[in-house]
């Protein structure tokens, strides 16, 4: 079974697409979490990392730190806010059968 570590961050709306493109290049997946209700003009982006095994609780902060380094460096350089993460199981769906 695979697991997904989800790390949400609030990013300025104008920077959300650019930030997503840059983190994809660095091996992170993303999904949109909607507008940030507490910060007008900000978009919640959930950064995702897929793992084959359930991570130890001590491993998750390391993934958060890796993401922080990516978000703070080089071409991404976008102000962001928010902390926290969670783990989801990845439900693998069987392939759809094609009807000829």
């Amino acid at each position: 079974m695979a697991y997904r570590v989800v790390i949400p961050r609030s990013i300025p709306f104008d920077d959300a697409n650019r930030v997503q493109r840059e983190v994809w290049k660095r091996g992170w997946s993303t999904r949109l979490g909607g507008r940030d209700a507490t910060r007008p003009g900000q978009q919640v982006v959930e950064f995702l990392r897929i793992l084959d095994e359930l991570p130890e609780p001590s491993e998750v902060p390391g993934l958060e730190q890796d993401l922080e380094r990516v978000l703070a460096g080089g071409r991404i350089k976008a102000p962001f806010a928010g902390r926290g993460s969670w783990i989801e199981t990845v439900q693998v769906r069987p392939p759809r059968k094609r009807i000829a």
Side-chain angles (χ1 to χ4, degrees):
M1 178 180 290
Y3 299 89
R4 176 186 304 122
V5 177
V6 181
I7 306 171
R9 294 292 181 261
S10 180
I11 296 174
F13 189 76
D14 293 340
D15 292 329
N17 286 338
R18 181 181 57 78
V19 169
Q20 288 180 84
R21 278 193 310 273
E22 293 298 325
V23 296
W24 288 334
K25 293 176 187 176
R26 291 160 177 81
W28 287 85
S29 299
T30 62
R31 67 182 179 204
L32 297 178
R35 289 192 178 262
D36 188 336
T38 62
R39 294 179 180 94
Q42 301 248 22
Q43 170 81 38
V44 175
V45 177
E46 295 175 347
F47 296 90
L48 314 170
R49 181 66 70 148
I50 303 292
L51 304 173
D52 292 328
E53 296 180 13
L54 184 64
E56 293 293 325
S58 61
E59 293 176 44
V60 176
L63 290 171
E64 286 190 72
Q65 290 171 357
D66 289 345
L67 177 63
E68 300 300 328
R69 278 191 289 275
V70 168
L71 291 173
R75 295 186 59 191
I76 295 176
K77 196 77 172 182
F80 61 93
R83 295 284 180 265
S85 61
W86 64 85
I87 298 172
E88 301 173 342
T89 57
V90 176
Q91 306 273 330
V92 179
R93 295 186 177 125
R96 293 172 49 178
K97 294 183 181 180
R98 298 193 115 184
I99 300 174

